Amino acid sequence: MISGSQIAKRVAELGTEISNDCVESQLVALVILRGGFIFAGDLLRSLDPAIEVAVDFMSVTSYGDGTTSSGEIHIAKEPDLRVEGKDVLVIEDILETGLTLGSVRDRLVERGARSVRFVTLLEKTGKRRHAVTPDYIGFQIPDVFVVGYGLDYAQKYRNLPDIRVFVPRTPAYTLDAKVPDDER
Ligand code: IMP
Ligand code: MG
C-alpha cells in the first residue's frame, strides 16, 4: 500500500514540521509500543539536531491477536520519565477509533503534562469513536488491516520495510474438504 521510499519522504516532512513547531518546547517524545517503534526511530532522527528531546516509552495494547480492537486498553508499561510541565509528543503507528490515544492523553494530563501532541503515521478514516485530534498525520488510509513498518498481525510482520494490506490466508480445511463429485 505504501512503499518504503514514500514513507521515508513523508517522515522527513513530518520531522521538519515538528522541528519548526517545537523550537521552544520542553520536549518529551513518548513512543507507543510496540507498533510505534520503527516510525519513532526514523522520525526522531529526522528532527532538527538543535531540538533537545527526551525519549520515553509506554506500552499499550487494545487488540488481541486478531484484526479488530478489543475495545479495552491494557497498559503494560507506564512512562518512566516525569512529564509534569513537559510538552509531550506522543508517537503512534495508527489511529483508528481513538481509544488508545484518548486514554494516553488522559493519563498524561493527569500527570501534569504542559501540552500533549500526537503524531501518527497512519489514520484510518471513518472509524473514530473517541474525540482525539492528531496534530500530525503521515498518511490517511481506508478501513483495511495493514501490517509492516512496526504494525503487526498477531505480533508478526512488524519488520517489513513498507506498509501492506493483510489478507488472511484461506483456512487449510477449505482446501482439504471433500467435495462430492457432482458438486465439483
Ligand atoms: P484505536 O485504539 O482504535 O485508535 O486503535 C489503535 C491501535 O490499534 C494501534 O495502536 C494499533 O496497535 C492497532 N491497529 C489498528 N488498526 C491496525 C491495523 O490495520 N494494523 C495493525 N494494528 C492496528
Ligand atoms: Mg499500537
Side-chain angles (χ1 to χ4, degrees):
M1 181 185 258
I2 308 171
S3 71
S5 57
Q6 285 173 298
I7 297 171
K9 182 166 170 276
R10 186 70 190 116
V11 171
E13 290 168 358
L14 290 171
T16 306
E17 216 183 310
I18 293 170
S19 302
N20 291 336
D21 293 349
C22 292
V23 177
E24 301 284 305
S25 300
Q26 295 275 316
L27 199 60
V28 176
L30 184 63
V31 183
I32 306 300
L33 299 174
R34 287 184 281 264
F37 82 111
I38 291 189
F39 174 43
D42 285 342
L43 183 68
L44 289 169
R45 285 179 298 168
S46 75
L47 294 180
D48 184 328
I51 303 271
E52 290 184 0
V53 56
V55 180
D56 202 355
F57 302 90
M58 184 170 177
S59 177
V60 185
T61 50
S62 64
Y63 272 49
D65 275 353
T67 58
T68 48
S69 174
S70 66
E72 275 171 43
I73 71 155
H74 168 68
I75 299 189
K77 186 201 167 298
E78 297 276 358
D80 293 316
L81 299 180
R82 283 177 68 106
V83 296
E84 202 182 323
K86 303 286 185 189
D87 301 297
V88 183
L89 176 71
V90 179
I91 306 179
E92 172 66 311
D93 53 357
I94 183 165
L95 173 61
E96 190 179 6
T97 65
L99 176 70
T100 306
L101 289 187
S103 346
V104 169
R105 178 198 47 215
D106 294 348
R107 297 180 95 78
L108 292 172
V109 169
E110 246 169 57
R111 287 164 172 244
R114 181 165 77 169
S115 68
V116 180
R117 268 184 274 210
F118 296 117
V119 54
T120 184
L121 177 67
L122 304 175
E123 181 191 35
K124 263 188 210 177
T125 52
K127 296 275 288 188
R128 196 70 47 78
R129 284 195 281 120
H130 304 264
V132 178
T133 311
D135 300 272
Y136 311 94
I137 301 170
F139 302 91
Q140 289 182 316
I141 63 164
D143 182 18
V144 290
F145 196 84
V146 290
V147 296
Y149 199 72
L151 292 114
D152 73 307
Y153 168 74
Q155 302 307 327
K156 286 177 291 191
Y157 314 118
R158 294 191 195 274
N159 57 305
L160 300 178
D162 42 24
I163 307 262
R164 304 181 190 200
V165 178
F166 175 74
V167 183
R169 204 175 278 173
T170 311
Y173 65 85
T174 63
L175 301 174
D176 295 340
K178 298 256 182 293
V179 180
D181 276 347
D182 56 2
E183 284 178 28
R184 275 180 201 274

